[in-house]
Amino acid sequence: LYCGRIDTHKGCAMLIDAFDAYKRAHPSDLRLVLTGADQLGLRASENLRYLGFVDEARKFALMAGALAFVHPSPYESLSIVALEAMAQGVPVIVNGECEILADHVALSGSGFVFRGADGLHAAIDAVRGLAAAARAEQGARARAYVIGHYGLDEVRARLVAEVEALAAA
């Protein structure tokens, strides 16, 4: 699953091409599902399912039911959507060119980092090979990371500390 603006700058053209190549090498019923604004002019394909915009409840349901959430962008400053997927307990597959996304994976102890099409293929293989217990453990670590670092109380405490520091300066 990918959710967001579907364009080259978000790494989506590479994702779609790499996924098509993966499917040619590994025929299966696996599909790439995309939601959001299509800036690429997606074409119908047996490997790709484009849902357009979906409401938040549907997005969270798609995340929770996905084999993995993939974020191919090399340019992110936080990635709310990746954190939302992690909070749903789904493994994330992120572009290692983006330090922020790679840090989310490293700090949570959950997910997979790729570089290039071959790396994406290896990450897809890895997530497909997860046993149920390992998948559940990864999901629990991802959710705990999001709640522990981005929950309301944690964010509020950091904001208060920043305001107090500015007021004291």
Side-chain angles (χ1 to χ4, degrees):
L1 175 69
Y2 169 84
C3 300
R5 192 174 72 243
I6 302 165
D7 72 20
T8 301
H9 299 294
K10 290 288 191 175
C12 294
M14 178 279 305
L15 171 62
I16 292 165
D17 290 345
F19 188 78
D20 282 341
Y22 181 85
K23 286 293 302 270
R24 284 191 301 276
H26 304 89
S28 71
D29 62 354
L30 187 66
R31 282 191 179 172
L32 176 60
V33 177
L34 299 103
T35 71
D38 176 13
Q39 305 297 312
L40 293 179
L42 296 173
R43 293 177 310 279
S45 153
E46 69 180 61
N47 295 333
L48 184 128
R49 185 169 176 216
Y50 173 57
L51 301 179
F53 284 100
V54 297
D55 65 33
E56 195 167 89
R58 175 73 196 256
K59 177 178 72 172
F60 292 153
L62 288 166
M63 287 174 171
L67 176 68
F69 179 83
V70 62
H71 204 323
S73 176
Y75 314 111
E76 294 299 316
S77 59
L78 175 65
S79 187
I80 298 293
V81 72
L83 294 173
E84 289 172 335
M86 293 172 77
Q88 298 305 310
V90 67
V92 294
I93 299 173
V94 302
N95 189 334
E97 297 297 320
C98 179
E99 185 177 338
I100 298 297
L101 292 175
D103 283 350
H104 287 321
V105 169
L107 294 171
S108 70
S110 176
F112 303 90
V113 176
F114 73 90
R115 292 185 189 277
D118 289 341
L120 179 60
H121 295 174
I124 294 169
D125 283 341
V127 78
R128 289 180 78 192
L130 284 175
R135 182 176 178 77
E137 183 179 320
Q138 277 213 15
R141 283 196 308 258
R143 184 167 174 74
Y145 168 77
V146 172
I147 291 169
H149 289 84
Y150 300 100
L152 182 59
D153 292 339
E154 289 71 24
V155 171
R156 182 180 291 131
R158 286 196 304 268
L159 283 172
V160 168
E162 287 296 323
V163 170
E164 288 173 348
L166 286 171

